[in-house]
Amino acid sequence: VTDNSILIISYLGYVTQNVSVKGQTHFKITLKEDTQSLDEVVVVGYGVQKKRDLTGAISSVKMSDTPIGTFSTTAHALAGKAAGLQVTQSSAQVGGGAKFRIRGETSINAGNDPLFIIDGFPVSASSTLDSEKNFYKTGTVDNILSSINPNDIESIEVLKDASATAIYGSRAGHGVIIITTKRGTEGGNNVTVNAYVGIQHVAKRLEMLNAREYAEMLNQQDVAAGQEPSIENPSIYEKGTDWQEEILQMALMQNYQVAASGGSKDTRYYLSLSMFDQEGVINRSGIRRYQTRLNLDRKIGDKINI
């Protein structure tokens, strides 16, 4: 050991210290606790974790790798992206809710919805629509992911094993879905613009009888039953009304978003404004959604972050 030697003292859960010898033979060293990020410990409660040390069952979905263009909500974008996560659209109407199941149904009488954590805050599961506010008197509204623009999401983690229950309690008995939204970064100001327009239509319609053909079929049915035809002259009926033509339409879908982000050493911001408008293929159906999101991070001193 020389005077230029350096002692490195490390211990699990404490900050590593480097102590210069400088001819000393006795040392009194006090290690400080590393409460923010422990290299050997994985913290999955609020998204801080090291993937190489991860032992729990977690699936991570990076929204940057997911094409957002044709999805009305993040729920539809998640379908088929995470192993063990089943996403089922519970209503076929535009903007209808989705049902999430992590590793299947586990309860008969109680709910099976996972716990959603959005930027560290627990939120409730989807709720049934009030029949007076819903034109079709059925379906559910996805009041969790419908309130978030898919373009504002940075990543989504799905916790699927019992360790989630240890972190969040009984609410996480059916799994946890952690959603992290985009935040500003230190550096210059950035402005991004996203826009897309699409058209939806029914690919194949049912082949139906027109009015005259239906009248002829009724007469054939009567004759087959040994009765007189109930309609004297079916030829007086024309094609009638094509109700599929009256109900269905070519539906326009469009989405526009403007986002600005940036910040300095002490202040970071992310601001987005978006408009989503999707017509349904059925007349008098559709959804129009205006959204805004502001993530503002302010550092006050060395220990306070707002």
Side-chain angles (χ1 to χ4, degrees):
V1 178
T2 64
D3 291 344
N4 295 328
S5 299
I6 296 177
L7 295 176
I8 300 176
I9 298 95
S10 63
Y11 190 76
L12 179 65
Y14 292 86
V15 179
T16 300
Q17 290 195 19
N18 299 328
V19 180
S20 178
V21 175
K22 293 182 180 180
Q24 301 180 67
T25 58
H26 296 82
F27 300 90
K28 184 179 180 181
I29 301 172
T30 303
L31 297 180
K32 296 180 179 180
E33 293 184 359
D34 187 1
T35 58
Q36 182 175 2
S37 58
L38 306 179
D39 187 47
E40 296 85 354
V41 176
V42 179
V43 182
V44 297
Y46 290 92
V48 180
Q49 54 199 1
K50 285 185 176 293
K51 204 165 188 177
R52 65 168 180 261
D53 299 329
L54 189 60
T55 59
I58 294 181
S59 295
S60 180
V61 179
K62 300 296 182 183
M63 298 305 291
S64 58
D65 300 332
T66 303
I68 302 300
T70 58
F71 298 112
S72 59
T73 69
T74 310
H76 304 143
L78 275 176
K81 297 296 182 181
L85 174 63
Q86 181 183 10
V87 182
T88 306
Q89 188 171 350
S90 56
S91 173
Q93 67 187 71
V94 181
K99 181 176 67 175
F100 296 86
R101 293 295 180 264
I102 297 178
R103 290 182 171 175
E105 305 275 351
T106 58
S107 176
I108 298 177
N109 297 324
N112 288 278
D113 293 323
L115 174 65
F116 288 86
I117 305 290
I118 301 179
D119 286 337
F121 292 92
V123 294
S124 302
S126 301
S127 60
T128 302
L129 273 176
D130 185 352
S131 60
E132 295 181 358
K133 299 178 182 179
N134 184 4
F135 177 77
Y136 291 102
K137 306 292 189 292
T138 185
T140 59
V141 59
D142 188 349
N143 57 4
I144 299 175
L145 300 184
S146 289
S147 62
I148 303 177
N149 187 344
N151 289 314
D152 288 337
I153 296 179
E154 182 71 26
S155 64
I156 300 176
E157 282 75 37
V158 182
L159 312 185
K160 297 177 285 186
D161 60 3
S163 62
T165 306
I167 301 167
Y168 297 104
S170 60
R171 293 181 300 175
H174 304 290
V176 181
I177 297 179
I178 300 177
I179 299 175
T180 303
T181 60
K182 296 179 181 178
R183 314 193 80 83
T185 57
E186 182 179 348
N189 299 320
N190 299 314
V191 178
T192 59
V193 178
N194 294 314
Y196 70 82
V197 177
I199 295 177
Q200 294 178 315
H201 68 94
V202 177
K204 184 178 181 180
R205 298 184 181 182
L206 299 176
E207 295 184 5
M208 308 291 290
L209 300 176
N210 58 34
R212 181 178 55 81
E213 293 171 339
Y214 183 67
E216 292 175 351
M217 184 200 68
L218 291 179
N219 283 347
Q220 292 174 4
Q221 180 179 342
D222 293 336
V223 172
Q227 301 175 2
E228 293 293 329
S230 56
I231 300 177
E232 294 182 358
N233 188 9
S235 60
I236 64 174
Y237 297 99
E238 298 180 357
K239 293 184 178 181
T241 302
D242 186 349
W243 291 110
Q244 291 184 96
E245 183 67 26
E246 296 296 325
I247 294 175
L248 302 178
Q249 65 176 353
M250 188 77 71
L252 179 66
M253 179 175 62
Q254 50 188 337
N255 188 10
Y256 307 98
Q257 183 196 28
V258 178
S261 64
S264 60
K265 181 179 179 181
D266 297 328
T267 304
R268 294 177 292 117
Y269 73 92
Y270 175 86
L271 174 65
S272 70
L273 304 171
S274 64
M275 189 278 287
F276 177 81
D277 186 7
Q278 180 180 2
E279 297 177 349
V281 293
I282 297 179
N283 282 320
R284 296 185 64 186
S285 69
I287 180 174
R288 180 174 295 173
R289 184 174 62 232
Y290 300 93
Q291 293 174 307
T292 179
R293 173 170 290 273
L294 173 62
N295 286 341
L296 182 62
D297 300 285
R298 173 68 177 173
K299 184 178 181 181
I300 303 176
D302 296 333
K303 297 183 179 180
I304 300 178
N305 292 317
I306 299 178

